[in-house]
Amino acid sequence: MIPSRLWALAALVALAVVPWVLARHQLSLLTDLLIAGLFAMSLDLIMGYTGMVSFGHAAYFGLGAYASALVLLHFAQPVPVALLAGAVLAGAVAVPVGWFSTRATGIYFAMLTLAFAQFLYTVAYKWRDLTGGSDGIAGVPKTPLFWGGPSLASSRAFYFLVAACVVLSLFVCRAVVRSPFGRALQAIRENERRFTSLGRDPRPFKLVVFVIAAVFAGLAGALFAPFRGFASPEVMFWVFSGQGLMMVIMGGIGTLVGPVLGAMLFILIQEVLSSYTEHWMIFTGVVFVLIVIFLPGGLVGTARRLGARG
Amino acid sequence: MANLLEQLLNALALAGLLFLVSAGLSLVFGILRVVNFAHGVFYMLGAYLGFTTVALSGWFWPALVVVPPVVGVLGALLESSTLRFIYRRPPIYQLLLTFGLALILEESIRVLYGPTAKGVEPPPLLQGAIDLGGVLYPRYRLFLVVLGCTVGVAVWLFLSRTRAGLVIRAVAQNSEMADCLGADVARVRTLVFGAACALAGLGGVAAAPMTTAYLGMGINVIVDAFVVVVIGGLGSIGGSMAGSLIVGAAQTWGAFYLPETAMVIMYAVMGAILVFRPWGLFGEEE
Amino acid sequence: MRRRDFLKVAGGAAVGVSAPIYLRTAWAQGPIKIGMPAALSGSNAQYGIQARRAAELFARDIKAKGILGRPVEFIYEDTGGDPATAVRKAQKLVEKDGVKFLTGVVLSSEALAVSAKCPEWKVVFMSTINGAGALTAKAFHRYFFRVNTSGPMGARAVSLYLAESPMKRFFALGSDYAWGRDSVGSFTTQITAAKKEVVGTDFPPVGTKDFASYIAKIRQSRADGVYLVLPGQDATIYLKQAHQFGLNREVKPIMEILELENMKAVGDAMVGAIGSSRYPFTVDTPKNRDFVKRFHDLHGIYPDMFDGETYEGLEWLAQVIGKAGTDDVEKVIDAWEDSSYEGLEGPFFMRKCDHQAVQPGFAVECVKDPKYPHPIPRILATYPGEKVTPKCRTEEFS
């Protein structure tokens, strides 16, 4: 049974070495996978650890992308400034949305997040002067790391930025879930009524974790905009949120690192299959349904279960 | 005056269609506690199968009778082969399972029918328009109003006046108790799911002459259906009717007076209800 | 042996010896690769499929001699109509497959996103479908070429036709997104300049499935015609419902894009509708008739707008590569600028200033014809390229 620390170390080494091993387009794909992985991981904070299913998480990814795109395109600030802008905007919007949404629970919470997300999507779609409307914002540049600093234009440089962000976020999120705050979240997930009956109010906890998750989703979106060079309303659509949920389940709900792998799996299936057939969605759907029924712990959950047994 | 009549009829016709789509969704949630994301795809399937039936038989009326049971049986089969195994799990799994099924079904329809929309003509009896005091109103829309009302009354009578309806309501209230009292809970669930899909299929057949059968009609209608069901109350047929009327009216009048903000207002109403009265106007507080 | 004969023999021998070398070099360079990140699934799939159909016919036509003696390879990727996927697929085509030419992109949002990356990748983006005016105006760059009629050009053709018609009052109905808004704006400017009146405008959301309220408003406005800028499926639904309300008889449907996809889905209910077509397959020239026949033989259906425009783009691109003598992107761009091409619809000219192909504009009418299984576009008027193409790098007309 390989201790998880060793897995982590191996993964870090692999991430560091990979730019010299992979071809350029494979590195671009990996960067894409990591960004999606960060998005899925942020969703796991509320889904896996607090038991809140959100159909509106893509909205924060989108907000991060738009903020980052506007900062880079119109103000030509270094990329980290854009990342901060994206994370902050996403978090700021998440506060009122979260405040309202966490007043509902279960399926009502999910529907409410859907309603808010669709509202934000509609705003992005219609506010053409700011967001470019249905065309989105294209031509977003990759500015340097800091004023007068190294360029991030090469795929290797940008990959390192993304990988560093994802690894750091993973560490931060792990710290959050292992803290007393995190244990309270899991208590809420297990049995919210008991939590309340013990004299504690779950709502501030839910609101805080909702905002934290939004911040990381916004960071993922803020990385997306310079990487792909644009931001458009599609990244805020509820179907993308649904895909995020799929990534979390496939990778392993409540494991943080599982959703990152789940995102990679989801996109890789799509990439590989769509070159062979345009009906790849059927295959993805079947794999997903099978995982839901037979492997509810997802990749990582099942692996841990098997590892624990052996 | 004629204008008001026309708008009222438009709202009722749209409400009729929305009711057919959302009644099943509401029932599945009320009785199975499952949010069926595949519901829109069953609606779409109904429209496409309606197209095929009309193409094969040359008549529209057989489609109304034949297609819903076919869609219902398919739904029942899917439920008993997939959903049945995961009822004991947290609701997220059931929700996502239906999401996955929706993806598979939608793409399968595309494989079978191709990407071009399929037009369906209303039957000769329902073609053309009637003169209603100066307004030329399409006969087919009047039919939708009638169909919506009829189906609504029929379902309500079934649930409240028949023994089978009683068993279903018992399972909805407390499935374990109903099981102890001898109800075959698994069978009830499958039947209800199938019936809900059949209703959605009927909605699709009814919609096809008005909107054609096209890919994306499922995703297009599911958000509307959610809004209706939330406003009316998950699990309540009366709620679905009320919700359909409200949303139908809002969309019709909204399109006339404030086309660009109509949808936004709908989301605001939905949000307000979820926050302050999540069980909707006619649902039961949990 | 006399000197002339010697030269002839020597020349013949030299050619005979060098020919294999030329072919070997050509083979060693590999095929000319054209990447097509098209929407082959999702709600816009029918347009991506048109692009692919055209490419399949072109691949067949060019198989015998290739371009510069090299075979042509098409690599298709499915974007699903999503800009993020489109950029990802395009990047894969450029970085992994080494394509130098990208085409077949369907949505304007996808085109803007992918095209913005082309200067970085140093590949040519050839638009055969995208109508957004911004692509040759605000968002223009050297690596972008538009072979198709743009949205503003379509609106222009319609306006020119309507300027001569007895209709005076128009209602404009555009879907509430970039294309709908821009086209209605363009039409309003031009039709008012022609001393006609726009009596009302409305912008239903994309994906509207019940147009009853809009139909009521249009009827109330007592317009002669309604200018429609609705994406394919929305247009189909509108035309069907307007027919059911009997509106089409009172208020003539006028569409910026009058395409076969609508005619097949709506059928006879839209006979009598007029509008602009980017490529009407009924253009009566020998070259086009031959194309339509070959297309029908291969695919069993008649070519729609994007089938034709994509084929023209590919044929022109092949000619330009031949003229440049290489598939080096910079040289191809130089060869393409200010070049002419005899297309299926008529003469094309690639303007250097904004890489917009100046081409004829068509006003068409949807009519029934017993020879065809669905209604077809009958050409009402043909306008020369200079009259329908906007001023350089703008969306305005003189």
Side-chain angles (χ1 to χ4, degrees), chain B residues 134-217:
Chain B
V135 172
L136 271 179
Y137 203 75
R139 288 205 176 110
Y140 194 75
R141 285 181 185 248
L142 292 171
F143 167 69
L144 278 178
V145 177
V146 170
L147 184 65
C149 286
T150 316
V151 171
V153 168
V155 172
W156 184 75
L157 281 176
F158 175 79
L159 281 177
S160 58
R161 297 286 157 88
T162 67
R163 185 173 166 70
L166 185 64
V167 172
I168 291 175
R169 280 185 292 135
V171 169
Q173 220 170 45
N174 191 330
S175 60
E176 277 158 5
M177 197 48 142
D179 193 29
C180 292
L181 291 171
D184 187 344
V185 173
R187 185 130 148 256
V188 166
R189 288 208 171 111
T190 307
L191 281 171
V192 168
F193 194 86
C197 293
L199 274 173
L202 178 63
V205 176
M210 202 170 102
T211 68
T212 74
Y214 62 101
L215 300 168
M217 73 193 286

Side-chain angles (χ1 to χ4, degrees), chain B residues 58-263:
Chain B
W59 284 63
F60 177 76
W61 302 104
L64 280 176
V65 172
V66 164
V67 171
V70 170
V71 177
V73 165
L74 180 65
L77 281 173
L78 281 173
E79 189 272 349
S80 53
S81 59
T82 56
L83 266 177
R84 181 178 286 203
F85 299 111
I86 59 170
Y87 277 128
R88 295 217 176 281
R89 302 232 203 111
I92 174 70
Y93 288 98
Q94 293 138 30
L95 192 151
L96 287 180
L97 181 77
T98 59
F99 192 77
L101 286 176
L103 294 175
I104 299 175
L105 282 173
E106 170 139 18
E107 193 57 32
S108 306
I109 294 178
R110 199 172 89 85
V111 172
L112 282 173
Y113 285 95
T116 308
K118 305 292 183 202
V120 175
E121 287 308 312
L125 181 67
L126 296 176
Q127 279 178 15
I130 304 185
D131 194 327
L132 292 171
V135 172
L136 271 179
Y137 203 75
R139 288 205 176 110
Y140 194 75
R141 285 181 185 248
L142 292 171
F143 167 69
L144 278 178
V145 177
V146 170
L147 184 65
C149 286
T150 316
V151 171
V153 168
V155 172
W156 184 75
L157 281 176
F158 175 79
L159 281 177
S160 58
R161 297 286 157 88
T162 67
R163 185 173 166 70
L166 185 64
V167 172
I168 291 175
R169 280 185 292 135
V171 169
Q173 220 170 45
N174 191 330
S175 60
E176 277 158 5
M177 197 48 142
D179 193 29
C180 292
L181 291 171
D184 187 344
V185 173
R187 185 130 148 256
V188 166
R189 288 208 171 111
T190 307
L191 281 171
V192 168
F193 194 86
C197 293
L199 274 173
L202 178 63
V205 176
M210 202 170 102
T211 68
T212 74
Y214 62 101
L215 300 168
M217 73 193 286
I219 292 196
N220 189 292
V221 85
I222 195 82
V223 178
D224 287 343
F226 279 138
V227 177
V228 167
V229 162
V230 161
I231 292 179
L234 288 156
S236 158
I237 285 293
S240 293
M241 276 188 146
S244 307
L245 284 167
I246 293 174
V247 175
Q251 281 192 1
T252 305
W253 275 298
F256 199 87
Y257 296 108
L258 306 156
E260 292 146 50
T261 46
M263 242 5 244

